[in-house]
Amino acid sequence: MSTLSVVIKDITPEQVAIISQGLVAGVDEVGRGPLVGYVVTAAVILDPNKPIVGLNDSKKLSEKRRNSLYQQIMDNALSVSIGRASPAEIDELNILHATMLAMQRAVAGLSILPERVLVDGNRVPDFGIASHAIIKGDGLVAAISAASIIAKVTRDAEMDALDNLHPQYGFAKHKGYPTKAHFEALALYGVLPEHRRSFKPVAERILLQDTF
């Protein structure tokens, strides 16, 4: 964790207002739990002169509402950047460190250098910039909510694209998470190159394939 970072729990609305001043980048991730695909992060710097109504944790929004807010963020934010870590990087680094790497990539890709980075959760990679980890920040801080939405819509679209290539796996429905349907598809059709080989259900399936 960077020496410039602080973890904040039980943040008050007054504290949110203070740390949200200036050029602040909100950062969030989607896709730590799935068995397949990239972990996707987003960094967003909102325009204080163009407030967006209804921002919230992406998981608490309907797909229609997320898509609407996604477009508003893309149209009105000062800067938006996506960072990813591949299944191979996840297998090499582990999911936590791969997520931190993806967050660093997202912030590095911003067209504007932020004064501060606010990250959802309790861990912050070293951005080289003052940063705060905010517990449940995706529902409390507008910039983090915006990043949550951008990351979610982006990764869902990637899972939809993978579903088009491999419809028998049902990725459009379960988005790669370890559901019963996904386990059944793994058993029937085996492991894809896009699967995370270090994740236990995938590793077990690879072992079975090698055995038989």
Side-chain angles (χ1 to χ4, degrees), residues 40 42 70 82 84 149-159:
V40 176
Y70 172 93
I82 299 294
R84 297 177 177 82
I149 291 164
I150 295 296
K152 172 68 173 169
V153 172
T154 299
R155 191 178 191 282
D156 281 358
E158 293 177 2
M159 286 295 99

Side-chain angles (χ1 to χ4, degrees), residues 3 13-14 24 44 47 95 134 136 147 158 174 181 186 207-208:
T3 57
E14 292 76 19
V24 174
V44 177
D47 187 342
I95 185 60
I134 301 176
K136 298 184 179 179
E158 293 177 2
H174 56 67
L186 271 173
L207 184 61
L208 283 173

